[in-house]
Amino acid sequence: MDRRTFLRAGTAASAAGAGLLAGCSGLFSVQTGYREQMPPLPENRPAAVYYPSHIEGMEMAGVETIAGNGANATSATNGTGSGGTNNSNGSGGDSGMAGGYRCALTYSYPHRFWTVTGTETEKITIEDNDSLHLMVSVWDPATGVFPLDTNPTITISQNGDSVTTLSPWTMLSQNMGFHTGDNLSLPGAGDYTVAVDIPPTSVRRTGSFEGRFDSQRSVEFSFTFDPEKVSDIMFEELGEKAGTRGAVEPMEMKKMPLALAPKTNELPGRALGTVRTGDAVFDVRALDDVSRFGGAEKTYLAVSARTPHNRYVLPAMSLSATVTRGNETVFDGALQATLDPELNYHYGAGVESIESGDKIEITTDAPPQVARHEGYETAFLEMPSRTLTVGDS
């Protein structure tokens, strides 16, 4: 019996069982059997990005636009397909909505993932009654930058009655990058209302982002849970490739962007070098136009942290830097997490100057404090400091 056949059989059996339970309690769960069907974790996983045991597709429940600061007005674009192309920043044709957000609600099979506290991970397993992995992605329509860095709140109701409330984790996956998500149980197939409360962004914002993303917003989706449609979502095991270093290609989507860091050759400022630690890639730049970053210094030191292979931003880290010139320390301090329209999510600080021959030591004081899907949970944890020497430019 293949997976799809199994899932359909399981769903049918669950529906029958659920009907019996409904007579007792009035509230029942769709028993899915996803946990038993999940492939085992690859053996000897490297402390790096690796191919997971399998890949899954996803379906889009809807996309909503949230108007600019001061209003919660929404207009549905209601994407209902997951195919198409993306891989850019999703900014095309959205100039009229530059002051607001765009929010997508998507779903896939329930799956295992890992939360992170400091350098420790905790595996979150699939529960017997999990129905879906529900995800929320939020982005700026004009730039494709994802300003959501804290957990939203999702409230699900049916016919006016509350079903469940959850705060999905911010997390990284190889085919979707940065988003928020969690497994959840629904009482059965049917129509639901999904209300999403988006919290203010906590990181510093610069340039045209200054003063934006600073108030809570709310948006509502209509969602039909159809277990048959869930079982039709793409699922592919990777066989011998699983557990080897590398990453699956990013998912292509019509109606939402991916949280990609800028290409190295498209970052503004002087290129100072690139270092890798814990399998993360740090592109280091110096910007001489510091007007939008504040402070009295003449140079802005920026670190754009991204995953290897797919170039996803690595948020929620604590970084610091030490700049030495000969025997003199010319800067020693924290790099502040910042959202900038050109640098995207990065870490930076003002310094008096960066000159040829300077040594820049970058220290990871805390790795990315975001949950991980399979293939990322062993990477970006142990991240020793790295030093580069500034060349002539």
Side-chain angles (χ1 to χ4, degrees):
M1 182 182 296
D2 62 23
R3 176 182 174 81
R4 180 170 163 174
T5 304
F6 174 88
L7 292 174
R8 284 181 165 164
T11 300
S14 298
L20 293 174
L21 287 172
C24 299
S25 64
L27 183 67
F28 54 89
S29 296
V30 176
Q31 304 295 317
T32 62
Y34 293 116
R35 180 170 59 187
E36 291 74 16
Q37 283 298 292
M38 193 63 62
L41 280 173
E43 296 181 353
N44 302 317
R45 294 171 291 159
V49 177
Y50 70 90
Y51 286 101
S53 61
H54 66 285
I55 55 174
E56 304 165 352
M58 67 90 172
E59 280 293 327
M60 184 166 286
V63 179
E64 298 282 350
T65 297
I66 307 173
N69 287 348
N72 275 346
T74 63
S75 62
T77 54
N78 248 359
T80 55
S82 58
T85 58
N86 178 50
N87 288 350
S88 64
N89 60 12
S91 59
D94 289 323
S95 59
M97 297 174 287
Y101 293 101
R102 186 161 277 182
C103 178
L105 182 72
T106 57
Y107 63 96
S108 186
Y109 301 104
H111 47 245
R112 59 198 172 211
F113 58 91
W114 289 257
T115 58
V116 176
T117 303
T119 59
E120 301 296 321
T121 60
E122 180 180 0
K123 182 180 175 183
I124 306 298
T125 58
I126 302 169
E127 301 293 332
D128 288 341
N129 59 353
D130 280 341
S131 312
L132 292 168
H133 186 75
L134 194 68
M135 297 167 281
V136 169
S137 298
V138 175
W139 66 96
D140 168 48
T143 62
V145 171
F146 280 53
L148 182 62
D149 65 335
T150 51
N151 302 22
T153 300
I154 297 178
T155 303
I156 301 176
S157 59
Q158 188 174 47
N159 299 322
D161 296 327
S162 177
V163 173
T164 187
T165 298
L166 64 154
S167 295
W169 281 275
T170 56
M171 56 175 57
L172 285 169
S173 76
Q174 290 192 4
N175 52 4
M176 281 190 65
F178 179 64
H179 62 282
T180 69
D182 198 1
N183 298 332
L184 82 159
S185 172
L186 293 174
D191 297 328
Y192 295 86
T193 299
V194 180
V196 181
D197 290 320
I198 303 167
T201 299
S202 63
V203 302
R204 180 177 68 150
R205 282 137 283 156
T206 55
S208 62
F209 287 166
E210 190 172 356
R212 292 188 56 196
F213 319 131
D214 57 358
S215 59
Q216 180 158 323
R217 305 301 178 85
S218 300
V219 65
E220 194 170 281
F221 297 87
S222 296
F223 171 59
T224 300
F225 173 49
D226 180 352
E228 283 286 324
K229 190 172 182 179
V230 175
S231 68
D232 283 337
I233 294 174
M234 183 274 290
F235 186 99
E236 177 185 352
E237 296 192 32
L238 296 187
E240 294 182 355
K241 200 173 187 180
T244 62
R245 294 186 67 152
V248 299
E249 292 290 324
M251 183 181 294
E252 294 187 348
M253 295 172 285
K254 285 181 178 178
K255 297 183 180 295
M256 60 178 283
L258 295 166
L260 298 176
K263 295 178 181 176
T264 297
N265 62 3
E266 294 177 356
L267 284 166
R270 287 183 285 144
L272 302 181
T274 299
V275 295
R276 298 180 68 137
T277 179
D279 217 17
V281 179
F282 291 172
D283 273 334
V284 187
R285 315 292 288 195
L287 280 70
D288 294 325
D289 179 5
V290 298
S291 56
R292 68 180 184 274
F293 301 106
E297 296 83 2
K298 298 178 181 177
T299 301
Y300 184 70
L301 175 65
V303 174
S304 176
R306 70 276 307 278
T307 66
H309 313 296
N310 288 341
R311 197 165 38 90
Y312 296 136
V313 295
L314 284 174
M317 304 174 72
S318 293
L319 296 184
S320 58
T322 302
V323 182
T324 55
R325 187 170 301 148
N327 295 324
E328 179 187 8
T329 298
V330 297
F331 175 80
D332 185 18
L335 302 177
Q336 186 174 3
T338 304
L339 273 175
D340 180 80
E342 296 182 49
L343 288 161
N344 203 314
Y345 193 111
H346 71 282
Y347 306 83
V351 300
E352 186 58 28
S353 65
I354 298 287
E355 299 180 1
S356 177
D358 286 353
K359 294 186 182 301
I360 303 175
E361 180 183 27
I362 300 170
T363 300
T364 303
D365 301 302
Q369 299 297 292
V370 292
R372 325 287 183 79
H373 287 216
E374 187 179 325
Y376 278 156
E377 82 282 4
T378 57
F380 325 131
L381 293 173
E382 299 296 331
M383 305 179 72
S385 63
R386 293 288 185 262
T387 301
L388 61 84
T389 300
V390 179
D392 294 326
S393 59

